[in-house]
């Protein structure tokens, strides 16, 4: 991201004065998909692409926002009970409201922001936006008294309360807690996490963006969460002596007990989640042993489950996954919530050029456009730039 570009837009669209510049990253997730809201494990890392915003208090009760990439401007009052209708502005509005709930005396401010997270690629541009403004408001109006975890939860609450996505905590966690050169295993139940150095010598990590629209708001995402919660409800009814908050608390045997009651669709979705929980732990062990072949095998298993059991893939993503297999790619899978976006691929360096060339040629021949290649560098989380 270009600091001077963001600053020049801020100066142009406001009063010529400068403010502070903040940044928050998007993220990749090596493995552990749709497990966060089920209390399981995820394995994300922050990347070198994200949101950068210049922010300056303006002495009023009005927030004035300029989205540089969209060339769009929105204003709203800090105490507006409804907020703006523009979708991107609701993320900022939501963070303002959630930070106020945490005791931050948010006043009016001017902001211009831009991002280089590919939109719709499953790299969590919305979480980057939320985290960037949570960090900025905490610094400007809160004396940095709000903890990192509370900023994560403020971002999640923004999605829930203002943007219509009943998401888990992984995306905001990765954006706030990211560390250069490290992936993080997060226990979404206890919120305990551990950094794992990720420097796969002899391999490259690359995303292929299918350029298919990635849309989570509304029923596709929430329907799957409802399926998981329905299974937990049925298991809990059979075991009143135990506590069942999420699928994390359930066993394979208990899932089989309710198979006939919950229906095939809900059963398949829960089956995927339990399998994914186990795969994350297997990948952690494999990374500690330097066993990237096992890491890749588990990535392919995750893609199969997301495609056939959780049903969040699409024809284009399955096609890219098949190309990866045909080219001997070590591991490949859908990354993100699904319904479009990227595949994440662990590729031996000597196979990289041929894989990329083959993917571009075959995808273009079938769909009339090339997949976008996104290099991934594991980077730091939310921060003040200047």
């Amino acid at each position: 991201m270009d600091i001077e570009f963001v600053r020049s837009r801020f100066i142009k669209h406001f009063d010529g004065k400068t403010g502070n510049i903040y940044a928050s990253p998007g993220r990749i997730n090596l493995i552990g998909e749709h497990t966060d809201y089920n209390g399981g494990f995820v394995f994300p890392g922050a990347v070198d692409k994200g949101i950068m915003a210049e922010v300056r208090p303006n002495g009023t009760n009005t927030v004035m926002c300029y989205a540089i990439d969209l060339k769009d401007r929105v204003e709203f009052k800090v105490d507006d009970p409804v907020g703006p209708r523009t979708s991107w502005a609701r993320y900022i509005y939501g963070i303002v409201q959630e930070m106020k709930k945490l005791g931050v005396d948010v006043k009016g401010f001017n902001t211009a922001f831009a991002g280089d997270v590919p939109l719709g690629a499953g790299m969590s541009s919305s979480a980057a936006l939320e985290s960037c403004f949570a960090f900025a408001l905490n610094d400007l109006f809160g004396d940095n008294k709000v903890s990192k975890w509370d900023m994560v939860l403020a971002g999640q609450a923004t999605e829930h309360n203002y943007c219509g996505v009943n998401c888990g905590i992984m995306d905001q966690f990765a954006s706030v807690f990211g560390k250069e050169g490290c992936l993080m295993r997060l226990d979404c139940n206890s919120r305990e996490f551990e950094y794992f150095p990720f420097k796969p010598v002899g391999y490259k990590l690359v995303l292929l963006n299918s350029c298919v629209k990635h849309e989570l708001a509304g029923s596709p995402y929430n329907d799957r969460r409802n399926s998981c919660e329905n299974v937990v409800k049925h298991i809990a009814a059979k075991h009143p002596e135990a506590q069942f908050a999420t699928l994390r608390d359930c066993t394979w045997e208990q899932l089989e007990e309710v198979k006939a009651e919950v229906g095939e669709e809900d059963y398949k979705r829960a089956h995927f989640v339990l399998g994914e929980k186990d795969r994350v732990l297997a990948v952690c062990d494999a990374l500690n042993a330097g066993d990237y072949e096992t890491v890749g095998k588990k990535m392919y298993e995750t893609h199969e489950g997301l495609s056939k059991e959780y049903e969040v893939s699409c024809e284009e993503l399955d096609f890219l996954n098949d190309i990866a297999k045909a080219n001997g790619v070590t591991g490949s899978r859908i990354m993100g919530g699904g319904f479009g976006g990227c595949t994440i691929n662990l590729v031996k360096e000597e196979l990289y050029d041929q894989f990329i060339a083959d993917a571009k040629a075959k995808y273009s021949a079938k769909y009339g456009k090339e997949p976008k290649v996104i290099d991934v560098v594991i980077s730091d989380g939310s921060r003040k730039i200047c």
Side-chain angles (χ1 to χ4, degrees):
M1 286 291 293
D2 187 339
I3 295 173
E4 293 308 315
F5 172 69
V6 172
R7 173 146 285 171
S8 70
R9 300 299 92 187
F10 183 81
I11 290 172
K12 176 181 177 180
H13 288 277
F14 295 105
D15 56 9
K17 299 177 182 178
T18 60
N20 296 337
I21 294 182
Y22 303 87
S24 284
R27 62 101 183 110
I28 59 99
N29 186 36
L30 187 68
I31 200 162
E33 220 63 79
H34 290 279
T35 53
D36 53 351
Y37 55 82
N38 284 297
F41 299 94
V42 290
F43 208 71
V47 298
D48 59 333
K49 296 172 177 61
I51 297 291
M52 183 178 290
E54 184 151 6
V55 187
R56 184 175 183 274
N58 59 26
T60 73
N61 195 39
T62 300
V63 176
M64 304 181 184
C65 311
Y66 183 69
I68 297 170
D69 302 323
L70 301 174
K71 296 182 172 59
D72 193 15
R73 183 168 179 142
V74 171
E75 299 182 4
F76 60 86
K77 298 292 185 182
V78 170
D79 56 358
D80 183 343
V82 178
R85 297 182 63 180
T86 305
S87 58
W88 64 261
R90 291 199 63 76
Y91 293 105
I92 301 174
Y93 170 79
I95 282 294
V96 168
Q97 306 311 311
E98 294 301 323
M99 294 299 282
K100 284 168 60 181
K101 292 177 186 177
L102 292 169
V104 177
D105 187 20
V106 181
K107 304 294 186 184
F109 57 90
N110 299 340
T111 183
F113 69 93
D116 58 358
V117 182
L119 296 177
M123 296 176 70
S124 302
S125 55
S126 60
L129 183 62
E130 293 152 6
S131 301
C132 186
F133 279 94
F135 195 93
L137 299 183
N138 192 30
D139 183 53
L140 291 170
F141 301 107
D143 296 323
N144 291 301
K145 65 186 178 185
V146 176
S147 71
K148 283 187 173 184
W149 264 117
D150 280 339
M151 286 191 282
V152 168
L153 296 173
Q156 182 192 33
T158 293
E159 298 272 3
H160 289 190
N161 298 332
Y162 311 97
C163 304
V165 177
N166 198 17
C167 67
I169 61 172
M170 177 181 68
D171 297 347
Q172 293 81 6
F173 164 81
S175 191
V176 171
F177 280 95
K179 184 177 180 181
E180 183 180 357
C182 291
L183 299 180
M184 300 167 284
R185 184 183 70 190
L186 169 66
D187 182 332
C188 296
N189 198 23
S190 68
R191 298 184 193 162
E192 295 175 335
F193 67 94
E194 182 179 352
Y195 289 104
F196 284 74
F198 183 74
K199 297 175 181 176
V201 177
Y203 294 85
K204 288 188 175 183
L205 200 59
V206 61
L207 309 182
L208 292 183
N209 188 353
S210 67
C211 302
V212 175
K213 185 173 175 59
H214 174 83
E215 183 61 68
L216 291 183
S219 62
Y221 183 97
N222 294 337
D223 283 351
R224 281 149 183 80
R225 182 163 186 161
N226 291 338
S227 290
C228 296
E229 291 173 352
N230 182 50
V231 170
V232 173
K233 182 179 70 174
H234 278 81
I235 290 174
K238 285 187 177 295
H239 298 275
E241 75 287 352
Q243 293 288 326
F244 293 95
T246 65
L247 278 173
R248 165 70 180 278
D249 305 315
C250 305
T251 66
W252 288 104
E253 292 75 18
Q254 289 163 346
L255 175 59
E256 292 302 318
E257 287 177 0
V258 300
K259 181 176 181 179
E261 300 173 19
V262 299
E264 182 180 1
E265 184 176 77
D266 286 3
Y267 169 81
K268 287 196 303 181
R269 290 171 177 176
H271 189 274
F272 165 77
V273 171
L274 291 188
E276 189 73 345
K277 179 181 71 173
D278 292 347
R279 283 187 287 271
V280 174
L281 298 178
V283 163
C284 292
D285 291 340
L287 284 177
N288 281 332
D291 180 5
Y292 287 95
E293 292 302 313
T294 293
V295 172
K297 178 184 177 184
K298 295 301 176 183
M299 291 171 70
Y300 278 118
E301 288 177 6
T302 291
H303 182 92
E304 182 73 9
L306 287 168
S307 178
K308 301 299 190 293
E309 293 185 314
Y310 222 65
E311 298 178 303
V312 294
S313 187
C314 61
E315 177 186 326
E316 293 87 349
L317 289 169
D318 289 342
F319 187 72
L320 288 173
N321 186 257
D322 289 341
I323 292 173
K325 286 180 185 175
N327 279 271
V329 171
T330 301
S332 177
R333 69 173 192 85
I334 308 166
M335 191 193 74
F339 313 107
C342 293
T343 60
I344 180 169
N345 304 272
L346 183 64
V347 191
K348 288 182 179 177
E349 289 181 350
E350 62 265 27
L351 300 176
Y352 178 86
D353 289 342
Q354 177 58 37
F355 167 54
I356 296 301
D358 197 42
K360 286 183 174 181
K362 290 179 177 176
Y363 195 84
S364 179
K366 188 170 179 65
Y367 298 108
K369 57 188 175 184
E370 288 188 354
K372 293 181 180 177
V373 179
I374 304 170
D375 297 318
V376 171
V377 178
I378 304 303
S379 187
D380 286 325
S382 303
R383 60 204 180 275
K384 182 178 179 180
I385 303 294
C386 60

